[in-house]
Amino acid sequence: MKSWRSYRSKASQENKNLSIANDEVALLDERLEFFIPKLMQVMKPWQWLLYIFFWSLFVTVVDRHNLATLPEFLIKFMSRVIQNSLTIMPSLYLIDYLRPIFKSTSILNVSMHVFLLLTIGSVVAITLVKLVMINIGWLEYDPQAFVLDILFNAVTTGSFTLVFLLYFVHHHRELNALKLSFEHKLTAQNDLIKARIAPHFFFNTINTLISLIESNPPRASDLLQHVSALFRASFNGAREISFEEEVALCEHYLVIESSRLGDKLAVNWQLPDEDVMYDMVITALTLQSVLEKILLSVVEMTIETIYIDIIVTWQHHHVAIVVTAQLPKKTLMISHDLRRHMDFHIQTERLRTYFGQSADIQSTVTSKQIVTTIDYPLQDVGL
């Protein structure tokens, strides 16, 4: 039996590593917490050691003019490998360990600490390596050369550290700009959704409420609660919500429209098990927008009952929502016009912003039905 973890657990601050959606804004937020990335996640320890090996080989080859024999070359090469390993590896682990402290201070202050950490680490490492080499007879002690070599190594390490810090700061600013562009894009998309929902839906609902207030006040009060829930969601912004919430929003919408359309609308839901659906997420108002377009383009244009089937599946880290609306048999529905109305470009872009470019919404119109499919990847960490 699957060991399911709830959507709310996965989306909580304590379980960010279990995020089940490719929410790019959330990923950017995590990356922007600190301008230096988690260095031991950039490359694995063996990859860092491999990098150190080849870098030490390159520097030794460049400096081979004062190495007369192969043994001298090998000794120099091994000393550089050990020295660079003692400088870089402990420093990387220490920087990652101090990230919680560094996050609370300025970029300049952090840069100074990282610069001093690597520079001092370099001085200590080369001093230890040279002393060991002198003690075992692999190197003659020359005070002036000893000090100059330490100073040269410290300057070199410090220079490379400054270069990488400048790169991290530049990349951090680029990510900031990218995050702002994402936020502006999401805001613009949500404004379009609100502008589309509000006028048509608002006036129809007001007219329905006016008639119910006189004829059936309790029903009017109940309908107002559905209206409040739906409009609150539409003005909360483009966001990722649990699939249960999206289904609830769709049901609010269908209840409101059913009070106006009456028997012209019949909806059949085929949803996954509650435990499965509890772990699913989607961008708010995605499915609701599909249902609204079907109601506007089909149900309102006929006096016949329109049957809508909604089938939701989540398999192999992939969600498929198939909405099938049977077209009326007696009322003439022009396929060309329907295809033009069943356009979900805005909803698709919102879905791709959160779940990646493979997410899509496609609608197929035939003489008998409209089939709209919402597809998007969704990692199932319960598998």
Side-chain angles (χ1 to χ4, degrees):
M1 184 176 180
K2 289 183 179 180
S3 175
W4 290 99
R5 287 190 289 268
S6 72
Y7 157 75
R8 290 165 183 79
S9 171
K10 295 169 189 173
S12 68
Q13 292 294 323
E14 296 80 6
N15 293 280
K16 277 188 175 180
N17 59 319
L18 297 177
S19 177
I20 56 178
N22 184 22
D23 186 337
E24 298 185 38
V25 175
L27 292 174
L28 282 173
D29 283 336
E30 183 178 354
R31 176 62 183 85
L32 287 169
E33 287 178 350
F34 186 48
F35 78 101
I36 298 177
K38 292 181 180 179
L39 298 171
M40 296 312 295
Q41 290 184 1
V42 172
M43 291 194 296
K44 296 179 180 178
W46 69 267
Q47 291 174 316
W48 280 110
L49 290 172
L50 193 63
Y51 166 79
I52 291 170
F53 177 87
F54 283 107
W55 172 249
S56 301
L57 181 61
F58 170 76
V59 173
T60 307
V61 170
V62 171
D63 194 34
R64 70 183 184 280
H65 61 274
N66 61 348
L67 303 174
T69 64
L70 180 60
E72 290 180 352
F73 178 87
L74 292 175
I75 291 172
K76 188 74 171 179
F77 169 62
M78 290 305 299
S79 69
R80 287 189 182 278
V81 170
I82 295 171
Q83 168 197 323
N84 289 332
S85 299
L86 291 175
T87 301
I88 295 175
M89 297 302 291
S91 299
L92 297 184
Y93 277 109
L94 189 57
I95 291 170
D96 285 349
Y97 178 76
L98 294 174
R99 281 176 65 89
I101 299 175
F102 285 157
K103 287 179 186 178
S104 60
T105 186
S106 65
I107 290 179
L108 180 60
N109 194 17
V110 172
S111 299
M112 290 176 59
H113 281 84
V114 172
F115 175 80
L116 289 174
L117 176 63
L118 281 163
T119 304
I120 294 172
S122 173
V123 170
V124 172
I126 192 173
T127 302
L128 290 174
V129 170
K130 284 190 170 294
L131 289 175
V132 170
M133 291 176 65
I134 291 171
N135 284 331
I136 63 178
W138 287 357
L139 184 68
E140 292 185 4
Y141 177 67
D142 182 349
Q144 184 177 359
F146 187 86
V147 173
L148 288 176
D149 205 5
I150 291 175
L151 289 176
F152 175 77
N153 196 74
V155 171
T156 303
T157 303
S159 300
F160 276 104
T161 302
L162 286 176
V163 169
F164 279 107
L165 286 171
L166 289 173
Y167 168 77
F168 289 145
V169 170
H170 176 70
H171 189 55
H172 188 262
R173 289 174 177 171
E174 287 183 338
L175 287 176
N176 244 323
L178 181 62
K179 179 176 182 290
L180 289 175
S181 71
F182 268 121
E183 290 176 344
H184 289 318
K185 180 180 177 181
L186 292 174
T187 300
Q189 290 171 346
N190 194 57
D191 288 343
L192 287 173
I193 293 290
K194 287 188 290 187
R196 180 187 58 74
I197 289 177
H200 166 85
F201 183 68
F202 179 75
F203 290 114
N204 281 341
T205 304
I206 289 297
N207 291 332
T208 303
L209 285 169
I210 290 173
S211 63
L212 285 175
I213 286 173
E214 295 180 356
S215 61
N216 192 343
R219 179 71 188 280
S221 175
D222 182 60
L223 192 62
L224 271 174
Q225 294 181 14
H226 292 290
V227 173
S228 174
L230 186 61
F231 270 87
R232 188 183 302 114
S234 69
F235 284 89
N236 273 341
R239 60 196 176 98
E240 173 192 307
I241 63 173
S242 73
F243 195 79
E244 284 183 324
E245 292 178 80
E246 179 70 1
V247 170
L249 291 175
C250 291
E251 289 177 340
H252 286 306
Y253 174 72
L254 292 172
V255 167
I256 296 165
E257 290 291 65
S258 293
S259 64
R260 183 171 60 88
L261 299 171
D263 295 335
K264 292 202 307 178
L265 179 62
V267 180
N268 176 47
W269 293 85
Q270 293 185 37
L271 300 173
D273 294 340
E274 290 185 4
D275 288 341
V276 177
M277 194 168 66
Y278 192 72
D279 283 352
M280 296 172 65
V281 291
I282 192 172
T283 48
L285 300 175
T286 298
L287 179 55
Q288 185 273 338
S289 297
V290 172
L291 294 175
E292 182 179 23
K293 285 207 173 187
I294 292 174
L295 265 62
L296 288 173
S297 304
V298 180
V299 181
E300 289 194 355
M301 302 301 173
T302 182
I303 59 172
E304 300 177 45
T305 300
I306 300 299
Y307 295 92
I308 300 175
D309 294 309
I310 305 168
I311 302 174
V312 181
T313 57
W314 183 21
Q315 295 178 341
H316 308 298
H317 309 302
H318 185 86
V319 173
I321 306 168
V322 181
V323 182
T324 304
Q326 303 299 326
L327 295 180
K329 297 178 180 179
K330 299 178 182 179
T331 305
L332 176 64
M333 307 293 290
I334 301 175
S335 298
H336 175 73
D337 290 340
L338 284 178
R339 290 190 187 96
R340 182 167 53 85
H341 290 305
M342 300 303 289
D343 175 34
F344 300 103
H345 174 72
I346 298 173
Q347 290 83 357
T348 301
E349 288 300 311
R350 293 168 74 238
L351 201 63
R352 287 175 177 171
T353 300
Y354 281 84
F355 298 97
Q357 292 302 307
S358 63
D360 198 12
I361 303 176
Q362 291 291 335
S363 193
T364 303
V365 180
T366 67
S367 59
K368 296 183 178 180
Q369 61 184 15
I370 299 174
V371 180
T372 303
T373 304
I374 305 171
D375 288 303
Y376 58 97
L378 185 61
Q379 185 71 19
D380 180 4
V381 297
L383 292 177

